[in-house]
Amino acid sequence: ATRDLTVHFSKLREQSSSSGGRSPSLDDANLLNNASGSSWSNPTSSLPPIWVDLLDTVDSDVRTIQTLMSRLETLHGERVNDVFGRDREGKDREIQGVTEDITKRFRNAERTLKKIGNVTEPGKSLTSAEMKVRAAVQSSNASKIQKISSQFRKLQQDYLADLSKQKSKNDSQFGVDLTSTVGGGGGVAGGGG
């Protein structure tokens, strides 16, 4: 039985930084008493750095992208396997919307990931160790995003290839070349004589 205290701690961190890093008052300590009656002496010292919040945002975007990609793959399958063409325009609009949402989230994750290297705590400078950790985290997450982006591009390419196959199959299904012109002269009814 745990509870998420992220919002509460974020507020405390903001209060601490806005007050010039003052020590928590007795009232602050009373707010942080746990069930056993003990309290934390300095709640802000146990808070993760601000850039960890940005990393959480990136992770959330990546999870959402993966969920949307699964949905998109399902939509692609439904669209390609729709033999009778029922509501193709509606499916196409839905596919376009999900595709745009995925693209928007990729951009947001990339922008947020870049911020991780630049954000600093008020009044603090980065140590070389922290810069190395941030660089490693950025590199790891950039690789993850790049891999998922490649999967997304492949998903889109496969879908477009399937649509192309479906179109060519439908065009030639009845032995009629729909691309030739009616009065083109090379047809069976063109005469010969």
Side-chain angles (χ1 to χ4, degrees):
T2 62
R3 59 187 177 147
D4 185 9
L5 297 173
T6 304
V7 173
H8 181 71
F9 283 127
S10 295
K11 287 179 184 175
L12 284 173
R13 179 174 46 212
E14 288 172 15
Q15 289 173 352
S16 174
S17 65
S18 67
S19 66
R22 67 167 178 79
S23 299
S25 68
L26 184 58
D27 291 337
D28 293 335
N30 287 336
L31 288 174
L32 296 175
N33 284 341
N34 63 20
S36 65
S38 65
S39 66
W40 298 322
S41 60
N42 188 359
T44 56
S45 67
S46 64
L47 292 176
I50 291 175
W51 63 267
V52 173
D53 294 340
L54 296 173
L55 184 59
D56 289 342
T57 302
V58 170
D59 288 339
S60 175
D61 280 339
V62 167
R63 283 190 304 273
T64 302
I65 288 168
Q66 290 172 324
T67 301
L68 288 171
M69 282 177 57
S70 294
R71 174 72 180 133
L72 186 62
E73 190 171 15
T74 301
L75 289 170
H76 284 171
E78 290 173 1
R79 170 62 171 86
V80 169
N81 294 325
D82 185 11
V83 179
F84 300 108
R86 288 175 272 154
D87 194 29
R88 281 190 178 169
E89 290 178 10
K91 286 271 187 242
D92 288 344
R93 279 192 302 274
E94 191 173 358
I95 288 170
Q96 182 67 28
V98 172
T99 301
E100 288 173 359
D101 195 14
I102 291 171
T103 303
K104 179 185 78 173
R105 290 183 186 273
F106 269 122
R107 288 184 184 135
N108 187 51
E110 290 167 354
R111 270 193 311 272
T112 305
L113 191 59
K114 287 178 183 176
K115 289 180 187 176
I116 288 175
N118 301 330
V119 69
T120 59
E121 304 280 336
K124 292 184 180 179
S125 61
L126 294 177
T127 65
S128 64
E130 187 172 4
M131 288 179 5
K132 287 178 185 177
V133 168
R134 287 186 188 198
V137 165
Q138 281 181 303
S139 177
S140 171
N141 280 279
S143 295
K144 185 184 347 178
I145 291 171
Q146 185 176 17
K147 180 180 176 186
I148 295 169
S149 178
S150 294
Q151 292 170 350
F152 176 62
R153 285 192 307 274
K154 176 150 178 36
L155 180 68
Q156 292 294 85
Q157 289 170 351
D158 291 347
Y159 170 64
L160 293 174
D162 288 345
L163 279 183
S164 179
K165 285 179 196 173
Q166 183 186 42
K167 182 178 177 357
S168 65
K169 181 181 175 184
N170 287 343
D171 288 349
S172 65
Q173 187 171 11
F174 298 108
V176 177
D177 183 9
L178 298 176
T179 59
S180 67
T181 59
V182 175
V188 176

